[in-house]
Amino acid sequence: MKRLGSIFLVALFSGAITLGAYKLFLEPKDTSLVTVAPNYTRNVSLGAENTNFTTAAETAIHSVVHVKNMTMQRVYSNPMEYIFGYGRGGTQQQMQIGTGSGVIISEDGYIVTNNHVIDNASELEVTLNDNRSYKAKLIGTDSKMDIALIKIDADEKLPYIVFGDSENTKVGEWVLAVGNPYNLTSTVTAGIISAKARDLSNEGLQSFIQTDAAVNPGNSGGALVNTRGELIGINTMISSPTGSYAGYSFAVPSNITRKIVEDLMQYGNVQRGVLGIEGRELNNTSSKEIGINQSQGFYVGGVTKKSGAEKAGIKEGDIIIQLDTKKINKFTDLTNYINSKRPNEIVNVTVLRDGEEKIIPVKLTKKELLTYEVNGIEFEDLSNNDKKANNIDYGIKIKSVTNQELSEYTNALEGSIVLSVDGRKAEDVEKVTTYLKSKRNPRSQYKLITKDGQLIQAIF
């Protein structure tokens, strides 16, 4: 009996050592700068009558704030001065106030909201659920994804929300939208996830969670939470002919939001990684045009020079069907996943090539390091120095010109900044080059700032 007891104690002691060693050395460490909820086994089949929303609502209400944007606008007392630039009436400054919502994501006062909520603000004020108000400072923004990070300095620890995993959300799952529509504070509405990876631009750049929870003006920047009160999205926009809720609302997924926030905290700007490919998503129509049978996935029509995709050996004609464990059925599936990654991260890309599956590890490239070429013109994104030097906040640069038809203009064009192409704002090099490659007519009208600072229009 004593021997049996000894054996039991030794086994128990050994088990404790093994568990402790795993916890200390082998268990993955969470290096997040924001709090992330643990993984759960979820049951999403419950009906509304069996689902308790109160816990989630109570958690979210206290971490959602009211954001007031105060902007100084120049007001012309004489309409002729506004139109023609002259007049005796003069101008005066007038305060314009806009409102929206925000979500506290840390106890020391970091708040995530929409870029359009705080855009052009002269002063920001945040009001908590208990009616305390604080001045806020802007930490950073990502206008492309419409996310901004601001901070308040409170005299005590603040209630905050934890990030859930938006990748694991399911269509049909119950969600709550929490915000301040029409200045009505602490408003909670319920609905289900109607769709994922929704792109309203039809350019494959957006990837929203679509819900039928009621969202109205003032909800922007508020929280979309699951039934456990975890943040799975930042409410951003509605699709409506009237400007008010008409059935559907859209949120930036939490995985993308979290990555942007951590970048802004750690680097001061957004670290955008790219595969370095271009092409089109597959469906019955596009597959017939290309002459293939595969009707889902992303067809690689070209590979960007010096990109991770080129270095890894991805080729034109490959069909991307999976990134790591994420199935790729359409372009927004691909962009949604890549937007949650950083430069130099490794992504295992599964492609169909000649009817066989191949897994190709690709190291993501920093977007700013790549150039894109169309019709013998090589474009690149603007640096912050370019923007400051020209007092602009958007545009792309012509890096080099190899088109022989433009040889006599090469020196004048190289180094110029493109502001628009055929009337479209040139905000992003990928967007511009995708548009140019889709045109049948190779010539376009460009609005340019030349190297010597002249603003010109040119057709080439």
Side-chain angles (χ1 to χ4, degrees):
M1 188 67 182
K2 287 183 179 180
R3 179 176 176 79
L4 184 61
S6 300
I7 292 172
F8 176 75
L9 287 173
V10 169
L12 184 63
F13 184 63
S14 300
I17 291 174
T18 302
L19 179 60
Y22 172 78
K23 288 285 185 182
L24 183 61
F25 299 110
L26 299 178
E27 189 174 51
K29 303 293 192 301
D30 186 358
T31 58
S32 302
L33 297 176
V34 293
T35 306
V36 183
N39 289 324
Y40 293 93
T41 301
R42 301 179 302 108
N43 184 351
V44 296
S45 62
L46 296 176
E49 67 277 6
N50 297 318
T51 303
N52 189 340
F53 298 113
T54 57
T55 301
E58 179 69 15
T59 300
I61 280 175
H62 295 296
S63 59
V64 173
V65 301
H66 187 267
V67 179
K68 184 185 293 184
N69 174 342
M70 288 160 280
T71 305
M72 295 302 297
Q73 298 279 357
R74 178 176 291 179
V75 178
Y76 295 86
S77 56
N78 184 342
M80 298 300 289
E81 183 169 342
Y82 173 74
I83 298 170
F84 298 107
Y86 64 85
R88 297 180 180 179
T91 63
Q92 59 183 3
Q93 296 289 324
Q94 187 177 81
M95 181 70 76
Q96 302 288 325
I97 296 177
T99 61
S101 303
V103 184
I104 304 173
I105 58 170
S106 70
E107 63 183 16
D108 58 346
Y110 281 99
I111 296 168
V112 64
T113 183
N114 285 144
N115 179 67
H116 76 261
V117 169
I118 57 84
D119 196 27
N120 296 320
S122 303
E123 188 177 320
L124 291 169
E125 183 180 275
V126 168
T127 302
L128 307 185
N129 186 57
D130 60 9
N131 295 323
R132 287 180 295 164
S133 294
Y134 299 91
K135 299 298 181 187
K137 63 181 178 181
L138 178 63
I139 303 299
T141 67
D142 182 357
S143 58
K144 183 176 180 180
M145 294 299 170
D146 199 14
I147 292 294
L149 183 66
I150 61 178
K151 189 177 188 303
I152 61 174
D153 293 320
D155 49 8
E156 61 183 46
K157 293 181 179 180
L158 298 173
Y160 65 93
I161 201 164
V162 298
F163 277 82
D165 186 352
S166 56
E167 190 61 39
N168 286 335
T169 57
K170 305 291 184 184
V171 173
E173 182 176 348
W174 283 101
V175 290
L176 301 179
V178 187
N180 303 282
Y182 303 120
N183 285 322
L184 302 172
T185 59
S186 305
T187 297
V188 180
T189 56
I192 62 168
I193 294 177
S194 307
K196 294 176 64 177
R198 182 70 80 199
D199 176 23
L200 302 183
S201 70
N202 296 318
E203 295 172 341
L205 301 176
Q206 299 174 337
S207 185
F208 293 122
I209 295 174
Q210 178 183 322
T211 80
D212 65 354
V215 169
N216 280 295
N219 269 112
S220 291
L224 185 71
V225 302
N226 58 24
T227 53
R228 292 190 300 276
E230 299 162 358
L231 184 69
I232 59 168
I234 297 296
N235 295 317
T236 297
M237 63 188 300
I238 57 178
S239 180
S240 166
T242 64
S244 297
Y245 176 72
Y248 298 110
S249 55
F250 302 89
V252 179
S254 61
N255 288 14
I256 293 176
T257 303
R258 174 189 163 196
K259 186 261 180 187
I260 292 169
V261 165
E262 290 184 338
D263 282 354
L264 294 174
M265 285 181 175
Q266 189 168 351
Y267 305 104
N269 56 41
V270 179
Q271 304 288 298
R272 218 178 289 288
V274 294
L275 276 175
I277 58 169
E278 56 189 61
R280 59 199 299 190
E281 67 178 50
L282 294 176
N283 52 44
N284 285 336
T285 302
S286 61
S287 296
K288 287 178 182 178
E289 291 175 355
I290 298 169
I292 58 177
N293 295 323
Q294 183 76 14
S295 61
Q296 287 188 321
F298 184 81
Y299 179 83
V300 179
V303 181
T304 306
K305 295 178 182 178
K306 301 179 182 178
S307 67
E310 182 190 55
K311 293 174 183 176
I314 290 181
K315 299 179 180 179
E316 182 179 343
D318 285 345
I319 300 171
I320 298 175
I321 58 172
Q322 189 166 305
L323 298 177
D324 294 331
T325 59
K326 169 72 174 178
K327 297 288 185 183
I328 304 301
N329 295 320
K330 51 190 177 180
F331 187 33
T332 48
D333 291 332
L334 186 148
T335 55
N336 182 36
Y337 191 77
I338 295 299
N339 283 336
S340 68
K341 301 296 180 181
R342 293 186 178 87
N344 298 321
E345 287 193 49
I346 304 293
V347 175
N348 289 313
V349 181
T350 303
V351 303
L352 283 177
R353 182 183 295 172
D354 300 325
E356 295 184 2
E357 287 190 13
K358 292 176 66 73
I359 299 177
I360 304 174
V362 177
K363 180 185 284 189
L364 299 184
T365 313
K366 191 170 184 179
K367 183 176 181 292
E368 289 77 10
L369 299 178
L370 297 183
T371 57
Y372 296 77
E373 187 270 336
V374 183
N375 301 326
I377 305 173
E378 197 171 18
F379 300 96
E380 64 182 359
D381 277 317
L382 292 184
S383 66
N384 287 331
N385 288 337
D386 289 328
K387 292 178 182 178
K388 289 179 182 177
N390 292 277
N391 195 28
I392 55 177
D393 58 6
Y394 73 94
I396 64 174
K397 182 183 279 189
I398 298 176
K399 183 179 181 182
S400 65
V401 178
T402 58
N403 188 328
Q404 292 301 312
E405 294 181 6
L406 300 173
S407 58
E408 61 180 299
Y409 308 108
T410 296
N411 187 56
L413 289 175
E414 288 182 348
S416 294
I417 294 172
V418 179
L419 297 178
S420 67
V421 181
D422 294 335
R424 298 166 173 249
K425 287 179 71 173
E427 296 179 301
D428 181 272
V429 68
E430 289 176 273
K431 242 171 130 174
V432 171
T433 52
T434 299
Y435 165 69
L436 290 173
K437 288 179 179 180
S438 70
K439 291 185 60 179
R440 292 185 178 180
N441 182 357
R443 293 191 179 279
S444 293
Q445 183 175 37
Y446 293 80
K447 185 178 181 180
L448 303 166
I449 299 177
T450 62
K451 286 177 286 190
D452 56 4
Q454 294 186 55
L455 184 65
I456 65 170
Q457 299 272 1
I459 296 176
F460 53 85

